[in-house]
Amino acid sequence: MAAAGLRAMVGVKRVIDYAVKVRVKPDKTGVVTDGVKHSMNPFCEIAVEEAVRLKEKKLVSEVVAVSCGPQQCQETIRTALAMGADRGLHVEIPAKDYESLGPFQVSKILAALAKKEGVHLLLLGKQAIDDDCNQTGQMAAAFLDWPQGTFASEVTVDGDWLKVEREVDGGLETVRLKLPAVVTADLRLNEPRYATLPNIMKAKKKKIEVVKPSDLGVDLTPRVKILSVEDPPQRKAGVKVETVDDLVVKLKESGLI
Amino acid sequence: MTGFRGLLRAQRQARRVVSLLHRFQSTLVIAEHANESLTPITLNAIGAAKRLGGEVSCLVAGNNCEKVAQELAKVQGLAKVLLAQHDAYKGLLPEELTPLILATQQQFNYTHICAGASAFGKSLLPRVAAKLDVAPISDIIEIKSPDTFVRTIYAGNALCTVKCEEKIKVFSVRGTSFEAVPVSGGSASVEKVSGPAPVGQSEWLEQKLTKSDRPELTSAKAVVSGGRGLKSGENFKLLYDLADQLHAAVGASRAAVDAGFVPNDMQVGQTGKIVAPELYIAVGISGAIQHLAGMRLLHTVLAINKDPEAPIFQVADYGLVADLFKVVPELTAALKK
């Protein structure tokens, strides 16, 4: 396996940019996405960077970037290609299905693609910053019956095994996973590179293949019904205190210290 | 004597059947533990499970967890504690625990399976759900009914109410949103269970726990967070000293991380760690809009900033307009008294 290099697949998601303040729709069906700046999910960027680094170390022979969603996802795939992925796969989801698309369906798609493409390593971000689910990698691993290295802060290839240092509550733990495996990236894994202009130009020549979920035999029936999306309770401005002593008194009064 | 005990058991079982018929709920909580001690978030998960109204059982798996099972048997409100011991469960690897949970599910037919939304629960439950062919629900903050849950999306910037019509509801519980159950007053039976043969595709090697008395950011009851106003990484020492007095975790804004003051694992917010403490102290954080919105679910926010116009004061319960380099040490000293 290692002689020819591993084949890696990276899942990338297009989300509302992290710096945008989201607005809840007045009809409470979701948040406003039209005309709002989108970019690649930050945790996905880290996953792409890791895949590209493994390729630069000659441990990985090819990096395939995958995204599920509407046409605009191709921009996200282009970004991954500009960072160094070799080719793209766009799983086109019609707008009406995309609204109810969740980790359950996405992980089934990714698992089917990983099998079809014969990859040894599926890299994902630990969570998307829109739905905050933190599920897709774990579920894809389950559908594939592969081991999982979630919240990875360090990944080392060791023959047919993968050593993954994980960020857990209270510190770090190291596990060893038999390849093929699924890894989800935590913030600490690396610092993603910026795509340079020449690489962005080069990425335009790289191929993006469009696939339909039905080609992969994945059913898009919604599994979880969103009843409402609302603003969290509004906070009121509190009191300003003059001195540290006043502050301590206030904190003591409210039983916080 | 045996006959009497048998009768009692039969009665108990009959009662259980009746209660099941009435409520149709039975929940399995997956216990998290380390070094022979129970992880506190498990008690919050049991608290959430009790809200469902049905019978609650708890599964303890590990290679040396008899003590934890005994401890759990005394926890109030548990019907049963299931104990699974095997060397393969060392390190609580999801690859090994999932088949065990599936076997347990097959035997007892739970309507709900849950755990705390810690690194352990988040890693394990989606794998279990996928194997049960159901969509899981992450990090719930409220239970409206046995199939309707509230969770946050966009790092706390919106509340999403979801209805889960799956045959088995698999969900993780935000620890700070549910009361912990008392650790005494219960008398659950401990029953031994076992799963299929080890899978062997993963191995736990070691763990390096941070040698700090400070709690973990994501589960801390108090968080002291620093922003660009700290000016350098060394100055974060001021926050560590303050945090030690409050038994708080220390976090940082994205601005402080981008400026290179602290590593990104300390980052709080949308692209970092999601915190839900009772007390959040923002020091030298002006409060970018998305940062402010993410704080709306926090209990109490205290802001220290020298700029009286800083947006952070719009959401702070207590605001102190002053130079942090002067008042943070003062506050630390005041708390020492």
Side-chain angles (χ1 to χ4, degrees):
Chain A
M1 206 184 273
L6 306 168
R7 293 161 65 86
M9 181 180 274
V10 193
V12 290
K13 186 176 186 182
R14 177 179 177 267
V15 297
I16 293 182
D17 190 85
Y18 75 87
V20 172
K21 181 191 183 300
V22 294
R23 274 186 303 128
V24 170
K25 285 187 198 165
D27 67 358
K28 296 185 179 177
T29 56
V31 303
V32 178
T33 55
D34 287 343
V36 172
K37 187 186 174 197
H38 282 66
S39 45
M40 189 191 290
N41 179 41
F43 292 105
C44 300
E45 280 186 346
I46 298 171
V48 174
E49 175 66 32
E50 195 63 19
V52 173
R53 285 187 191 189
L54 288 170
K55 196 187 166 194
E56 287 167 347
K57 285 185 204 150
K58 309 238 183 295
L59 295 163
V60 158
S61 60
E62 190 189 30
V63 178
V64 187
V66 188
S67 192
C68 305
Q71 182 65 28
Q72 297 96 307
C73 287
Q74 293 204 4
E75 295 160 22
T76 311
I77 298 173
R78 287 278 169 221
T79 309
L81 296 177
M83 287 173 73
D86 296 292
R87 62 188 171 92
L89 282 171
H90 172 213
V91 184
E92 198 170 18
I93 313 278
K96 74 164 182 36
D97 292 324
Y98 188 60
E99 277 181 23
S100 58
L101 193 79
F104 186 87
Q105 294 87 352
V106 173
S107 52
K108 277 206 165 162
I109 290 170
L110 292 174
L113 280 175
K115 256 189 218 158
K116 190 176 152 219
E117 297 281 335
V119 303
H120 310 108
L121 178 60
L122 176 60
L123 270 158
L124 302 172
K126 74 161 179 179
Q127 74 187 65
I129 61 164
D130 50 3
D131 62 24
D132 285 336
C133 277
N134 195 333
Q135 297 171 350
T136 307
Q138 295 88 310
M139 295 181 86
F143 290 132
L144 287 161
D145 264 319
W146 291 0
Q148 63 187 53
T150 47
F151 327 141
S153 58
E154 202 183 308
V155 176
T156 329
V157 180
D158 178 13
D160 287 347
W161 293 76
L162 207 59
K163 222 164 100 179
V164 180
E165 189 181 65
R166 306 180 52 229
E167 280 198 37
V168 295
D169 302 318
L172 299 166
E173 74 172 25
T174 312
V175 293
R176 210 168 151 251
L177 312 173
K178 193 155 177 35
L179 287 164
V182 177
V183 169
T184 71
D186 212 323
L187 267 183
R188 221 192 323 201
L189 185 57
N190 59 49
E191 288 280 349
R193 70 193 66 190
Y194 289 103
T196 58
L197 189 60
N199 285 341
I200 294 170
M201 300 310 287
K202 258 188 252 166
K204 291 193 175 161
K205 295 206 182 79
K206 291 181 181 173
K207 222 179 115 210
I208 298 180
E209 189 191 335
V210 181
V211 199
K212 296 229 176 324
S214 53
D215 301 341
L216 303 166
V218 176
D219 175 17
L220 299 182
T221 310
R223 306 293 292 235
V224 176
K225 207 154 114 195
I226 293 175
L227 298 184
S228 73
V229 173
E230 289 166 63
D231 276 312
Q234 199 65 47
R235 294 187 74 89
K236 287 193 295 272
V239 290
K240 284 209 180 121
V241 291
E242 297 298 318
T243 66
V244 168
D245 291 335
D246 290 348
L247 183 63
V248 172
V249 169
K250 292 276 185 211
L251 290 175
K252 276 195 178 140
E253 275 172 6
S254 40
L256 286 160
I257 54 169
Chain B
M1 198 59 189
T2 337
F4 178 62
R5 223 179 266 162
L7 187 70
L8 269 183
R9 198 177 306 134
Q11 266 181 352
R12 212 161 40 217
Q13 266 164 5
R15 259 206 308 269
R16 197 167 296 160
V17 168
V18 169
S19 93
L20 274 181
L21 284 176
H22 275 295
R23 291 155 166 170
F24 295 110
Q25 317 298 337
S26 60
T27 305
L28 179 68
V29 180
I30 316 295
E32 180 179 355
H33 61 90
N35 304 326
E36 301 171 43
S37 67
L38 188 69
T39 309
I41 196 169
T42 305
L43 300 172
N44 304 93
I46 296 171
K50 283 174 76 178
R51 295 274 181 90
L52 293 163
E55 191 179 272
V56 182
S57 299
C58 202
L59 173 67
V60 191
N63 56 330
N64 186 16
C65 51
E66 194 103 24
K67 215 179 108 194
V68 174
Q70 295 308 329
E71 206 180 317
L72 271 166
K74 294 191 202 92
V75 164
Q76 210 174 79
L78 280 184
K80 208 190 292 177
V81 175
L82 304 170
L83 170 64
Q85 295 215 89
H86 195 290
D87 283 344
Y89 304 146
K90 186 184 176 192
L92 306 179
L93 293 163
E95 294 81 7
E96 300 295 347
L97 292 192
T98 302
L100 167 70
I101 296 165
L102 297 177
T104 312
Q105 170 62 20
Q106 209 154 35
Q107 193 182 347
F108 297 101
N109 279 311
Y110 297 101
T111 55
H112 295 73
I113 300 177
C114 73
S118 57
F120 165 76
K122 286 175 179 174
S123 186
L124 174 66
L125 288 176
R127 192 175 179 102
V128 172
K131 284 289 174 197
L132 292 168
D133 202 36
V134 302
I137 315 282
S138 294
D139 211 3
I140 62 154
I141 60 166
E142 195 187 328
I143 295 173
K144 293 213 157 175
S145 76
D147 66 359
T148 306
F149 307 94
V150 183
R151 56 184 303 270
T152 65
I153 53 174
Y154 292 93
N157 294 340
L159 298 180
C160 184
T161 305
V162 294
K163 191 174 163 90
C164 173
E165 282 161 339
E166 302 282 14
K167 55 189 188 296
I168 306 154
K169 280 85 174 158
V170 179
F171 61 95
S172 61
V173 173
R174 184 170 298 180
T176 47
S177 295
F178 294 90
E179 291 269 308
V181 286
V183 287
S184 61
S187 57
S189 59
V190 177
E191 193 175 307
K192 288 206 169 134
V193 290
S194 56
V199 180
Q201 54 176 207
S202 57
E203 195 187 327
W204 184 87
L205 297 180
E206 59 165 346
Q207 72 177 11
K208 280 179 272 178
L209 296 185
T210 313
K211 278 187 232 82
S212 151
D213 295 332
R214 267 175 234 122
E216 187 63 21
L217 256 179
T218 47
S219 56
K221 287 218 155 59
V223 170
V224 180
S225 206
R228 214 193 294 269
L230 265 294
K231 294 202 173 88
S232 78
E234 292 80 60
N235 291 335
F236 265 74
K237 167 104 180 32
L238 296 174
L239 302 193
Y240 291 123
D241 293 343
L242 175 59
D244 286 344
Q245 294 308 315
L246 294 161
H247 198 57
V250 177
S253 70
R254 185 171 172 124
V257 172
D258 285 349
F261 299 168
V262 287
N264 58 3
D265 58 312
M266 282 173 67
Q267 187 176 315
V268 167
Q270 183 110 45
T271 50
K273 301 205 160 135
I274 293 170
V275 297
E278 284 166 19
L279 176 62
Y280 184 81
I281 305 184
V283 182
I285 294 178
S286 62
I289 350 168
Q290 76 273 14
H291 192 100
L292 296 189
M295 301 197 312
R296 280 195 272 189
L297 285 177
L298 305 179
H299 290 255
T300 308
V301 175
L302 157 62
I304 299 176
N305 203 301
K306 64 179 177 198
D307 175 10
E309 303 300 319
I312 192 88
F313 289 119
Q314 292 163 19
V315 298
D317 299 275
Y318 304 109
L320 181 56
V321 184
D323 181 4
L324 72 93
F325 293 104
K326 183 174 163 283
V327 295
V328 171
E330 275 178 35
L331 182 58
T332 307
L335 291 171
K336 266 186 195 160
K337 281 182 218 157

